[in-house]
Structures are given as C-alpha cells and as structure tokens.
Amino acid sequence: MTEKIIILDFGSQYTQLIARRLRELNVFCEILPFNKFPKDDKFIKAVILSGSPFSVLDEKALQVDLSEIIGKYPVLGVCYGAQYIAHTLGGKVSKSEHREYGKASLKSLENDSDLLHGIEQTSQVWMSHGDTILELPDNFEVIAKTDDIPIAAYRSKVNAFDYPVYCLQFHPEVYHSLCGTEILYNFVHDVADCKADWTPAHFVDDMVAQLKEKLGDDKVLMGLSGGVDSTIAAELIHKAIGDNLYCIFLDNGLLRKNEFEQVLDSYEHMGLNIKGVRAGEEFLSELEGESDPEKKRKIIGRVFIEVFEREANKIEGVKWLGQGTIYPDVIESVSVHGPSVTIKSHHNVGGLPDKLNLKIIEPLRMLFKDEVRRVGTEMGISPSLVGRHPFPGPGLAIRVLGEITKEKVRLCQEADAIFINNLRSSDLYNKVWQAGAILLPVQSVGVMGDERTYEFTIALRCVNSVDGMTAEWSDLPHDFLALVSSEIINQVKGINRVVYDISTKPPATIEWE
C-alpha cells in the first residue's frame, strides 16, 4: 500500500481539483466526507480540510473532531477548513461585509515558511468566501495578507503541535491562483514529507499484485464496451489472472458503424479471452415505440442484464464481476450531500452483480479519467483504444432523439462515421475530448438538384474537457465543418441539413439525452 493524503470534503465545488493537483504531483490522495476520517489508517501522511458552501457560523455548520487530526498529522486548511480551525480553536470569524470573490494579490508574505517558500510577493490568488478570519487562536501566526484581508494565510507556531498546521483563506487548487501548484508542492514535499512516487508504473505494479492476492485462481467475468475504462480495467485483471478473466463484448445494435468488428479485433490482438455477442435485434425490438430518454436507458439496461446473464450462465465457476468504475463515480456515491439529483441513469448496470450473485472487483475505482489513460499507455495498450473518445453506455439510442428505428440508427451511424473519420484525417481527433453526430427528430425542406426534399437534420457535437464534468464546445475550423456537412448531405440519403452545437456544459450536457 502507498502513502496517502486524506482530503476531508466539506462540500466545496473545488474539492476534486485539490485531488487532481495532488495526483499531478505524484501523490496519492483520497477524498472522504468530512465526518468519515479513517483514524486507524497507518498510511496517512497528511490531512487537507476542503472549502465549503457553508459558513462556520451556521447553527448546522459541518464539523469534524480536530483532536483526531491536529497534532497527529500535518494539516492544510483551505477556505472553510481555515475558518473552521480558527473558529474551533478559539479565534474569531465573522461574516464578511461583502462576499470576497475573485483575484487578489498576496502581501506581507512570510515566504521563509515551508508552505510559502519561494512564493513571490504580490502573487495572484483566488478568493471565494463569505466569512473572514479576524483573530487567530493562541499558538498561531499570520504568514500572508492581501489588501482587503488581514489574514490570508496562517500557521501554527513552531512546536505548538507535534505536526504543523497551515491554513489558507484562498484556493490554491484553482487555475487562477497562479502560485497554487507551488504551494501544494511545498505542502506535500516540505510539510508532509511525501515521497511523491505514485506514478502510472507504480499503480500498475501495485494493482496487479493486489489483484493476484485477492483473486487467486478465481474466475472473473467482465462485460466490455470498447471504452477506455472497461478496456484498461480488463487488461489489469488479465495481467493478474490471465485466461481466468472471461470477457463478453455485446453488440446492442446501437454501436458506431463497424465498431463491433473493429473493437473485437483490437481485443483479440490484446490476447483477452473474449466472446462477441450480437444482440442488436433484441434491443431494437424492445425499444420500438419508446421515445422517452430515461425509459430508453432503462430498457437498454434491462435487456443488457438479460443477454449478459444468459451468456454468463454458459461459464461455470465464476465468482467475480469486473467493472470499469472510476473515481468520480466513487466520489459521487459518498458525496457530502448524498447522491445528486438524477440527471440521467448511469451507464453502469447496477443490478447485474446481485442478479448474478457475484462479488465486485473494480481496479480503477481510485483513478480519474486522465489517470486511467496514462495507466493504459504505461501497459502498452493501443493508442486507438487509450485515446478513444467517451461513448455513452446506451450508445446511439440517446443520439437518435425520440423513437428508435433501424433506419434512424443507420442514418446516425453513417453521419457519425463521416464526422469521426474526418476528425482523424484532419489530425483533430486527439485534440478534442468527445465528438459525435446526433439525429434530430426534425425534418425540414431542402433542395437537391431540381427536387425538393423533406429529410432529417444532423447536429454535430464536439467538446473539449478534462474529465467530462465540465466542457467547452470545440472551435473547429469553418472549412472543416463545411467539408463534413457537405459529405454528410451528399453521401447519406435521408439527411439534408447539418448544424453545429456550440453549447457549453453546464448549462447543457455533452449528450443531448
């Protein structure tokens, strides 16, 4: 097991950013709810208290027992964390006269401290808080101010506790804190004394060893989708147990054009023990007449379970179900606020483990998406699989808006293939996060030659993102879009209009359904 930093989450929108910054510094970290501190974990090197949308002055303010943390580990309090430490230990916190939000410059900086070593005076930082620390508890001292905030950063005095406590009123994890990465680097190296050796190679070696010990000679069953997460999870398990991993790649009739054959061929070249199952007719038959997106998802989930269960029962002695769950899914499930409002059903089929009476194995559950890709590269998986764009679990069922028919799926497949192939040939595919074609339930008048047409509209969607939680629409060259539009309209009979989606996430989602 590797050393780790625990981030206690008080509900800040930036908590995941803290984790990402630490991971980029090759330090393993784990986000836990503020009230779930694992006090018996001997691998903890330090603790970070996150920000929060709440106030420490509220009657129902989120609280943690500081006696379990301060003096036992190096501590970094960020925004709410800094206010909570000051307030709880005897300092004074009050409501700000006005919300302090935006850029600020550090002044009167004690940059000889371990945390702020090397940070320049007037460094830009990002404030986002409604409370202000007016007085510090005994045994603490100020190490930075701004023009408007008398206590922008503070620390415990030397020898006040067995381990140092540092607190920041600003957010070092956000892009706008230009010195933020350096501050976090100082914390993990100089304050917490971390080895910072958590690399993709380290993860692969450690995880394969854990899987070997946990699985032994047991058989594992796994449904592959052709996506990055399931592919890399399968390769890790395969490295540990070889052909005791049984993979099923299911064609639900809603994949991209020729995707079933292409992905199956890639898997076989990887040496995976895999079976391809064509079940498109079953899915399309069950989807007939249904246009509600959530109901479509549920139908696909139900039929997937039925088909997968049928195939699984042909394999004797399976004890485990492998899944490609990644860290954002895990964080969401243990959120401070509980599971979020359902925007759409998750593509993972939740009922499958219980239905098959299998134990779950999730080798990627502690990785972010970009880390998953780096692990795949470390293992030598084909760049075409590692760099594959995310693709929704329900497939084209949620890119063909409204009722699904075989002909509509074909139209969407053809248009999508033209779009994706042109992204590849124009050297744009690896420069964007996700792209695809959406068939709209809209027909419009067009003119082709001397004939009037009344045909469907295709919307092209292409976004840039890091992990899919937020996204910007990709500013593709106009001549590229013109080329793609022309090819779709001229080559795909049934489509006479192409539009480009320039919506960000939020407020829009990446997928249309």
Side-chain angles (χ1 to χ4, degrees):
M1 187 64 184
T2 189
E3 62 185 21
K4 69 175 74 169
I5 290 179
I6 294 296
I7 302 168
L8 292 181
D9 179 23
F10 290 88
S12 170
Q13 62 178 321
Y14 300 132
T15 301
Q16 284 199 39
L17 277 179
I18 300 175
R20 296 188 66 83
R21 296 294 175 262
L22 297 188
R23 298 281 184 92
E24 288 165 3
L25 294 169
N26 296 330
V27 176
F28 180 70
C29 60
E30 191 172 348
I31 297 173
L32 296 174
F34 67 97
N35 56 354
K36 300 293 184 183
F37 182 70
K39 52 187 175 182
D40 296 326
D41 190 335
K42 64 181 180 180
F43 296 101
I44 298 174
K45 291 286 289 185
V47 180
I48 296 177
L49 278 60
S50 83
S52 176
F54 304 105
S55 167
V56 299
L57 303 174
D58 292 343
E59 266 188 45
K60 296 182 179 180
L62 305 182
Q63 299 184 31
V64 63
D65 185 356
L66 293 179
S67 67
E68 293 182 346
I69 301 167
I70 289 181
K72 297 183 178 179
Y73 309 93
V75 173
L76 176 64
V78 176
C79 198
Y80 180 93
Q83 296 158 4
Y84 184 80
I85 290 172
H87 179 70
T88 305
L89 297 185
K92 183 178 180 181
V93 177
S94 72
K95 291 285 185 184
S96 304
E97 292 185 5
H98 57 85
R99 181 170 172 79
E100 291 159 341
Y101 183 86
K103 298 174 184 177
S105 294
L106 292 181
K107 303 284 174 67
S108 302
L109 190 67
E110 298 290 338
N111 59 2
D112 61 341
S113 68
D114 285 343
L115 187 70
L116 300 183
H117 176 71
I119 305 301
E120 294 182 4
Q121 299 282 347
T122 72
S123 290
Q124 176 183 298
V125 295
W126 184 261
M127 298 285 183
S128 179
H129 57 94
D131 292 342
T132 296
I133 302 169
L134 298 180
E135 296 177 13
L136 292 179
D138 293 339
N139 293 323
F140 287 87
E141 59 189 1
V142 179
I143 56 173
K145 304 176 182 179
T146 71
D147 286 337
D148 299 318
I149 301 175
I151 305 174
Y154 67 92
R155 68 179 173 190
S156 57
K157 294 178 181 178
V158 176
N159 299 324
F161 306 103
D162 289 341
Y163 293 93
V165 178
Y166 282 92
C167 292
L168 305 172
Q169 185 65 82
F170 56 89
H171 289 271
E173 69 274 19
V174 304
Y175 172 78
H176 298 293
S177 289
L178 301 184
C179 56
T181 299
E182 288 79 2
I183 290 174
L184 292 174
Y185 177 93
N186 289 343
F187 180 72
V188 301
H189 283 269
D190 299 334
V191 179
D193 193 29
C194 291
K195 295 177 184 175
D197 60 355
W198 196 72
T199 62
H202 180 279
F203 173 83
V204 171
D205 291 343
D206 191 41
M207 180 52 62
V208 170
Q210 288 182 46
L211 290 170
K212 284 181 178 179
E213 181 179 354
K214 189 168 190 173
L215 300 175
D217 295 326
D218 290 352
K219 291 181 180 179
V220 178
L221 179 64
M222 191 162 185
L224 301 188
S225 66
V228 176
D229 303 335
S230 67
T231 298
I232 294 172
E235 180 66 2
L236 282 165
I237 297 172
H238 181 251
K239 278 182 172 292
I241 64 171
D243 284 349
N244 271 350
L245 171 65
Y246 292 78
C247 300
I248 296 173
F249 180 40
L250 199 157
D251 178 8
N252 60 9
L254 301 162
L255 302 176
R256 284 174 158 152
K257 183 178 180 180
N258 300 325
E259 187 170 36
F260 182 71
E261 297 82 4
Q262 292 168 358
V263 171
L264 198 58
D265 181 66
S266 296
Y267 282 150
E268 288 172 347
H269 278 85
M270 288 170 60
L272 293 178
N273 179 17
I274 186 164
K275 179 180 180 181
V277 179
R278 290 192 181 275
E281 293 297 332
E282 290 183 59
F283 282 86
L284 293 174
S285 174
E286 291 292 321
L287 285 165
E288 186 175 352
E290 186 54 68
S291 59
D292 180 85
E294 191 62 18
K295 289 180 180 177
K296 287 194 289 187
R297 280 183 162 85
K298 288 179 178 177
I299 289 170
I300 290 168
R302 173 177 58 79
V303 178
F304 180 89
I305 289 176
E306 292 170 0
V307 176
F308 195 86
E309 182 182 15
R310 186 172 68 221
E311 294 298 324
N313 287 336
K314 298 176 183 178
I315 307 169
E316 296 182 358
V318 175
K319 295 184 179 180
W320 298 83
L321 180 70
Q323 291 192 332
T325 309
I326 62 174
Y327 201 34
D329 303 325
V330 176
I331 294 170
E332 179 67 18
S333 69
V334 296
S335 166
V336 168
H337 308 288
S340 64
V341 174
T342 299
I343 296 173
K344 59 187 180 183
S345 296
H346 197 273
H347 66 271
N348 284 342
V349 183
L352 197 55
D354 295 335
K355 188 81 171 174
L356 296 175
N357 194 29
L358 298 176
K359 295 179 285 186
I360 297 295
I361 191 75
E362 299 168 313
L364 302 178
R365 65 179 280 108
M366 297 309 293
L367 298 188
F368 289 102
K369 190 78 171 188
D370 54 322
E371 294 172 326
V372 173
R373 294 187 193 279
R374 290 199 291 272
V375 166
T377 300
E378 177 66 31
M379 291 192 294
I381 294 176
S382 164
S384 64
L385 284 174
V386 172
R388 185 176 184 265
H389 287 179
F391 188 65
L396 298 183
I398 59 168
R399 291 188 179 176
V400 174
L401 305 195
E403 186 177 347
I404 306 293
T405 67
K406 187 178 289 188
E407 175 60 14
K408 287 180 179 178
V409 171
R410 185 193 68 80
L411 291 176
C412 193
Q413 285 176 329
E414 296 292 340
D416 181 83
I418 290 171
F419 186 26
I420 298 300
N421 289 340
N422 273 286
L423 284 170
R424 291 187 187 280
S425 63
S426 300
D427 195 29
L428 292 169
Y429 184 86
N430 292 323
K431 297 176 182 177
V432 299
W433 164 263
Q434 183 173 342
I438 296 95
L439 184 73
L440 306 187
V442 174
Q443 290 177 283
S444 63
V445 174
V447 179
M448 292 188 177
D450 294 325
E451 296 182 11
R452 290 170 66 82
T453 61
Y454 191 63
E455 296 178 337
F456 285 101
T457 299
I458 278 285
L460 303 179
R461 181 69 158 145
C462 189
V463 298
N464 286 77
S465 180
V466 174
D467 52 20
M469 298 182 68
T470 61
E472 295 284 342
W473 59 275
S474 303
D475 190 7
L476 298 176
H478 289 189
D479 57 351
F480 170 83
L481 291 172
L483 172 65
V484 172
S485 174
S486 177
E487 287 190 16
I488 290 174
I489 291 171
N490 287 320
Q491 296 178 26
V492 186
K493 185 174 175 55
I495 297 172
N496 68 355
R497 194 177 297 270
V498 175
V499 298
Y500 189 53
D501 182 351
I502 58 169
S503 310
T504 60
K505 177 186 178 181
T509 53
I510 295 176
E511 300 294 343
W512 280 41
E513 283 193 344

